[in-house]
Amino acid sequence: MADLVIHDEWQLPAWTGTVGPGWAALLLRLHWQLLALAPDYRIEKCERGLGGLRVCVADRFDEEGDFDGQWADLATQLTDAAETASERTCEICGGPGRPRFRGGRGEVWITALCDGCSSDLVRRATPDGMPTPPGLGR
């Protein structure tokens, strides 16, 4: 099955570096699930939003050019499950987490964190009040 792995810029491994390690694992799991459905699947969008991941897969069409509704239904079920899981998974460590507000001085974001990683971010806050979590960037 390894020969079916495309890993181009349109598949989920391209986005694993844009999120923390806890969510990167969720994206890789989703990648393997989507590969099982369609080795040439493509992602239109993968981003953070409201404390979780938001993933949109590209539509697929059959040989006659007709929309593949079965693919859309199955892919949506998988992406919805991954998005829901991300809201309960710490973006940093991958443990159980919940959405938390972070930021200060005009910049605020929401991400899912466990109690431990959330406390670590507060302790590592920069002088301007903005925490710099490893793997999350600014």
Side-chain angles (χ1 to χ4, degrees), residues 35-91:
L35 279 177
L37 293 178
D40 61 344
Y41 82 88
R42 294 174 84 74
I43 297 295
E44 289 184 347
K45 178 174 65 171
C46 180
E47 61 187 15
R48 289 185 185 95
L50 301 175
L53 290 167
R54 302 296 171 250
V55 180
C56 295
V57 295
D59 290 334
R60 294 180 55 84
F61 300 87
D62 63 20
E63 296 80 28
E64 290 82 37
D66 293 327
F67 174 72
D68 187 345
Q70 183 179 6
W71 154 258
D73 290 345
L74 293 171
T76 298
Q77 288 174 8
L78 294 173
T79 58
D80 286 353
E83 289 174 0
T84 299
S86 71
E87 295 168 3
R88 297 184 201 134
T89 303
C90 178
E91 184 175 358

Side-chain angles (χ1 to χ4, degrees), residues 1-8 10-14 16 23-43 55 57 71 74-75 78-79 82:
M1 176 131 157
D3 58 328
L4 297 178
V5 181
I6 294 175
H7 290 294
D8 68 12
W10 296 102
Q11 292 191 333
L12 287 170
T16 58
W23 284 0
L26 290 175
L27 289 178
L28 288 175
R29 183 177 332 134
L30 178 57
H31 168 67
W32 287 105
Q33 292 170 332
L34 291 171
L35 279 177
L37 293 178
D40 61 344
Y41 82 88
R42 294 174 84 74
I43 297 295
V55 180
V57 295
W71 154 258
L74 293 171
L78 294 173
T79 58

Side-chain angles (χ1 to χ4, degrees), residues 115-126 131:
D115 291 339
C117 290
S118 180
S119 295
D120 286 348
L121 290 181
V122 170
R123 283 193 298 275
R124 280 188 293 198
T126 61

Side-chain angles (χ1 to χ4, degrees), residues 105-122:
R105 295 202 181 178
E107 185 179 4
V108 177
W109 71 93
I110 307 170
T111 191
L113 298 169
C114 66
D115 291 339
C117 290
S118 180
S119 295
D120 286 348
L121 290 181
V122 170

